Amino acid sequence: MAVLCKPAIAVPEYVITNDETLELARRLHSDHPQLDLVLNLIAHTGVRKRHLIQPIERVLQHPGFDERSVIYEAETKARVPAVVNRALDHAELEPEQIDLIIYVSCTGFMMPPPTAWLMKTMGFRPQTRQLPIAQLGCAAGGAAVNRAHDFCTAYPDANVLIVACEFCSLCYQPTDVGVGSLLSNGLFGDGIAAAVVRGNGGTGVRLEGNGSYVIPDTESWISYAVRSTGFHFQLDKRVPGTMEPLAPALSALAEEYEWNAGKLDFYIIHAGGPRILDDLSRFLDVPPEAFRFSRATLTEYGNIASAVVLDATARMFDEASAFDGDRGLMAGFGPGITAEIGLGTWTSGPDAVE
């Protein structure tokens, strides 16, 4: 019985509001031929504020990919351990009880991966397995939970630590002035999340099943162009409409377990933007309130990439509205276009009565 325990979340100290983002767009791109469209799109992202690892003035400077890589490593080492410790505390485990660390990030690169540094620094066993996931973008949060579930299915007594570290501000590119790029500048934020999947015991979401689905011929819709200046995010205007083909994939997985995807008790959905949530609500025929955890993440932090699903999960824990046996769905969406889908039931522990 693999159980996703309460995630721990941290966002950095520098804050930019949506109003400040709009003012920046007006000032930096006053001669943009589609400025009114850009401003309208940013205004309707549903984002109230975002958190950054640096003041916005430093983000805008873009000192080069080399320097950004140095910042990524330094900020990772400075910020991740505290989040990991809180996640371990939530799961009532010690570092030496972790058998696999899944480390997720699409906004920076280190080799060896940060998992090796964490093992040395925080007391994980040298035998701890490592699984870095770097190229699934926002879908990787769901993928990490699913791979943790798979591992605990193969090794029923194992425990898995998931870490999602996303510094999206390090991907800002001042020369990218397409509408999709400018919209992204007003949507993405920085954040770190960690959670433990316990093979035995624990309170949280008991993982029942998982699956993946890739929409054919959409691999160029969300992508990076990797250049000397770093990662250049590319977003196709068709992306917001992808819930129409993805909703049936979510329903199909639920049906494999004789569940109805439109009649579940809780939903943890990647909040890529408001239309994704609005469309999925419509296609699954669930009330908009069902996605309140994801909307809260989007409003307060923006799109924090792979960390969204863990933050939304933590909000469900904080609300304390789930009862033993409640059924739910988790889904992360990202490049591919890929959906990573999971099903789970709420459990208060091994002795819970459902």
Side-chain angles (χ1 to χ4, degrees), residues 247-326:
L250 273 60
S251 296
L253 179 66
E255 289 168 5
E256 289 183 23
Y257 293 82
E258 299 183 348
W259 292 13
N260 184 337
K263 303 294 182 183
L264 300 178
D265 302 295
F266 62 87
Y267 296 84
I268 305 297
I269 304 297
H270 173 69
R275 184 176 166 185
I276 286 176
L277 299 176
D278 292 343
D279 282 1
L280 198 56
S281 172
R282 177 161 55 93
F283 291 125
L284 290 182
D285 193 24
V286 298
E289 175 67 10
F291 298 150
R292 61 191 179 278
F293 309 119
S294 302
R295 290 187 190 278
T297 298
L298 184 65
T299 298
E300 296 182 26
Y301 297 155
N303 183 342
I304 50 175
S306 65
V308 166
V309 292
L310 295 178
D311 182 74
T313 301
R315 293 173 188 273
M316 183 177 71
F317 274 81
D318 290 339
E319 187 180 85
S321 57
F323 298 94
D324 286 313
D326 279 0

Side-chain angles (χ1 to χ4, degrees), residues 29 59 62 65 68 169-177 181-182 185 225 227 229-233:
H29 306 288
V59 173
H62 193 344
F65 191 40
R68 282 187 166 178
S169 62
L170 293 180
C171 296
Y172 169 71
Q173 298 290 348
T175 60
D176 293 351
V177 295
S181 296
L182 295 181
N185 293 343
R227 301 172 184 157
T229 45
F231 303 138
H232 290 250
F233 184 65

